[in-house]
Amino acid sequence: MTVLADDPTAAAILAAASCYPVPPVGRSPAIDAVRASRTSQCLAVGRDGVMLIVRRPWLELDIPVTPPFPAYLPYGSVGERRAELRCGLMPRELLGRILDHFRAALPNEAAAFVLWNENERSFSIHYPQIDDATPSRVTYRSPILAPDQHLICDIHSHAHGAAFFSATDDADDAHSTKIALVLGRLGQPEGPAIASRLCAGGMFLPLPRSPFSGDDDAA
Ligand SMILES: [Zn+2]
């Protein structure tokens, strides 16, 4: 087998973030193994660009990270982009309970996590310890998870303010794989407003649809 790095640390890093060319037939045992895995990721290099493939117990994400190459490569296609929740959609009732919690915290911001238990395939809400909360700021920590628990969704309120991801939110979310939601305009007749994104691979991706069940609108 070809050695990609002499240094053991460099070799370990490359092994944890592998890069595979797509054969002309479009199927590869190595790429199939990543796609079928519980937790891993790789880059697939095809004639039509590079696809980041991320697998978590709760997530299947195939996302192009480059445009198609102008150079000819004798490779197959990386295939279609996709983002699927292996855990299924979050129960809409959880969003209602979190909104009630956030409204009760007004005029301050507040926070909540949605956790998923992989063994029981059940969702739950975790309200974090709040270090500091004002009408324009909330600081809180991610929960310590049991081995069968996964942090699916990180939700914070912008209280009466608009729903958007601030520069602080971008910095907080940069290294996570999770759904992030901001709920704003709470306690107002036209509210609430929701901003959403999938954080993965250092990118912030739009959600193709609401992550909550029983809601056909993009949230
Ligand atoms: Zn924010």
Side-chain angles (χ1 to χ4, degrees), residues 156 158 164 166 169 182:
H156 71 279
H158 278 184
F164 68 99
S166 68
D169 297 336
V182 177

Side-chain angles (χ1 to χ4, degrees), residues 3 12 24 41 50 67 74 82-83 86 88 93 110-111 114 124-125 139 144 150 152 157 168 179 181 188:
V3 176
Q41 67 183 61
V50 177
R82 55 194 295 269
R86 286 174 162 174
E93 164 259 331
V114 176
S124 60
I125 299 173
T139 54
I144 294 165
H150 304 283
I152 306 298
S157 90
T168 306
I179 296 166
L181 300 181
Q188 297 185 22

Side-chain angles (χ1 to χ4, degrees), residues 105-110 130-139 157-159:
L106 288 172
N108 291 336
E109 297 191 357
I130 300 295
D131 293 333
D132 184 30
T134 73
S136 62
R137 184 178 70 243
V138 61
T139 54
S157 90
H158 278 184

